[in-house]
Amino acid sequence: MVLCALRRQLVRSSSRCGTWARLLQRQSSGCVYSSIHGFNQEEIREKLQAFPGGSVDLLKQDSGVAVLTINNPSRMNAFSGSMMVDLEERVSQLEDWTDGKGLIVQGAAETFCSGSDLNAVRAISNPQDGMKMCMFMQNALTRLLRLPLISVALVEGRALGGGAELTTACDFRLMASGSEIQFVHKHMGLVPGWGGAARLVRVVGSQNALKLLGGAVKVDPEVGLHIGLADGVLEANQEAEGADAFLQQAENWLNRYTKGPSPVIQAVKKVVLSGRELPLSEALRTEKDVFGTVWGGPANLQALASNSKHK
């Protein structure tokens, strides 16, 4: 369905649900669902706002790396309804961040996220509202993954259910020592609904995804590295103690991929994104278009003048 949306080169859809060409012209990446699917974003936003609690906080740094914090410690950083709306709004802000290069997604108070707040889930337990929430979160997390920023999930403590799904909406995952990722949906009589299953298959392959979902397997850092769910393990550092110790390590890890001018880093993300989501012929045309945005640009001319290719 994602590819179908991307191929509609001439079809106009609702706000932030445009074509791939618009993705290249704007930071907005397009959604999976719009009004043609019976999805009314303002209606579900209003319904979700009726279940407040916690927040999703965004800090944009001068380095070009932003930190997105899931902040609801009393509920193990579970998403309330208003936090789902917060997330969508923060993604919109990041789509418009022209100087951005990277993003770290973390949870507050040394835990990542335990999925949906069950109070909100119980209140919208009918299938119709559940499907609307599903579409809302799939849109938000798809847009998060399609940001022209290189993103990493910093997993401290536990990432459960929807929290596990959130990790797959990032390009990379770093697991702190003692952390755990678990797709517990089966225990709730569910399957992932925020796009986590589809993304998980792309990250670890169908066989491993079936094991993680069917067995509700607890993935520790060692297993995460083995199956490719984790891209690195962060150990407690006595020289960098405190609440931000793992965050600093994550920033250092991400810096190797975000070092350089923001237009170039964003272009890198865009060509990789097109290669991942589009058929080869369309991905090649997209790569050509993105190449044209940086060829002869300031970074390219400076590199040519300094002969940096051979440094």
Side-chain angles (χ1 to χ4, degrees), residues 196-270:
R199 293 188 298 268
L200 183 64
V201 169
R202 297 188 176 207
V203 174
V204 302
S206 60
Q207 295 294 94
N208 282 325
L210 192 58
K211 292 175 182 177
L212 296 188
L213 296 177
V217 177
K218 295 180 180 181
V219 179
D220 62 21
E222 182 179 359
V223 173
L225 280 178
H226 179 70
I227 65 175
L229 185 58
D231 297 280
V233 177
L234 305 181
E235 300 290 344
N237 187 343
Q238 293 181 349
E239 296 180 359
E241 295 180 350
D244 294 334
F246 285 124
L247 178 59
Q248 185 59 58
Q249 289 186 60
E251 290 186 2
N252 294 341
W253 186 91
L254 185 58
N255 181 62
R256 74 188 74 176
Y257 306 114
T258 58
K259 187 176 182 180
S262 56
V264 177
I265 303 305
Q266 291 190 16
V268 168
K269 176 64 182 285
K270 288 175 181 176

Side-chain angles (χ1 to χ4, degrees), residues 75-92:
R75 309 288 296 178
M76 286 185 62
N77 295 330
F79 273 92
S80 66
S82 63
M83 288 173 66
M84 296 179 189
V85 176
D86 279 354
L87 175 67
E88 190 270 338
E89 292 175 349
R90 301 298 172 262
V91 170
S92 294

Side-chain angles (χ1 to χ4, degrees), residues 175-197:
M175 297 184 69
S177 54
S179 64
E180 180 182 289
I181 300 175
Q182 186 181 13
F183 293 82
V184 297
H185 304 76
K186 185 183 76 168
H187 294 330
M188 301 296 296
L190 296 170
V191 295
W194 295 356

Side-chain angles (χ1 to χ4, degrees), residues 3-4 15 44 80 85 100 118 126 144 158 192 214-215 226 273 300:
L3 291 178
C4 290
S15 175
I44 187 60
S80 66
V85 176
L118 293 182
N126 68 78
L144 175 64
R158 306 179 78 185
H226 179 70
L273 179 63
N300 177 228

